[in-house]
Amino acid sequence: MKSWKLPIQTSGEGFIDISKVVHSSLKENSSEQNGLLILFNPHTSCGLTINESFDTSARTDMEKFLKHLAPRNLAFIEHTAEGPDDSPSHMKSILLQNSLQLIVEDGEIQLGTWQGIYLCEFRDSNKTRTLQLKFIKG
């Protein structure tokens, strides 16, 4: 079982399709053809999800939906130590996943026809998010 880290650069709030970079990273770090690839996100103000990646308007709608659920102007927000995006970023991240498990067959990540893997950044500033990946031979 091999594990490695994958840094992802973000440029403010938004969904980043990381499908290709995850696939490339798998090819570079594992010669195994069949198994389970685990992605773990150790950050509390971004998340992971698998969703529609063919039509970019779907991504825009998902981003707007999360902003609607966790706006910055909620009267009860107290946690603003790192700015007005601080608490809402944590609220959004609890609605998504901090890890994904992906089936790999014949060296290919098994996703649906329209699916993509997203890192969902919820902070305004540029970040380097480092995902931890582990491949389990199966």
Side-chain angles (χ1 to χ4, degrees):
M1 292 187 281
K2 182 176 180 169
S3 62
W4 65 95
K5 295 185 178 185
L6 176 62
I8 306 286
Q9 294 289 68
T10 70
S11 55
E13 186 168 1
F15 282 40
I16 303 162
D17 187 341
I18 60 170
S19 305
K20 289 180 183 174
V21 71
V22 168
H23 188 262
S24 295
S25 182
L26 173 63
K27 296 284 188 194
E28 292 171 13
N29 288 283
S30 178
S31 60
E32 297 297 334
Q33 294 294 304
N34 299 296
L36 187 66
L37 179 62
I38 300 170
L39 279 68
F40 175 70
N41 166 30
H43 307 284
T44 61
S45 56
C46 65
L48 296 170
T49 193
I50 296 174
N51 216 306
E52 161 82 49
S53 68
F54 179 75
D55 185 342
T56 58
S57 67
R59 182 184 69 227
T60 301
D61 289 347
M62 291 183 286
E63 292 169 346
K64 289 177 181 178
F65 173 70
L66 290 174
K67 286 180 182 181
H68 173 77
L69 291 178
R72 297 174 185 210
N73 62 351
L74 295 170
F76 60 80
I77 290 178
E78 296 181 26
H79 181 67
T80 58
E82 297 177 36
D85 63 338
D86 200 354
S87 194
S89 69
H90 299 300
M91 292 175 197
K92 293 169 191 172
S93 74
I94 66 170
L95 299 172
L96 301 179
Q97 293 84 40
N98 67 349
S99 66
L100 298 173
Q101 301 76 42
L102 304 166
I103 296 170
V104 178
E105 293 290 336
D106 299 322
E108 299 297 323
I109 296 171
Q110 301 300 296
L111 292 171
T113 302
W114 311 115
Q115 289 182 325
I117 305 164
Y118 286 102
L119 172 72
C120 307
E121 178 62 71
F122 301 125
R123 299 308 302 263
D124 291 339
S125 60
N126 298 347
K127 302 282 183 191
T128 300
R129 302 300 195 169
T130 303
L131 302 179
Q132 298 172 1
L133 285 73
K134 184 174 215 50
F135 187 81
I136 301 171
K137 182 180 175 182

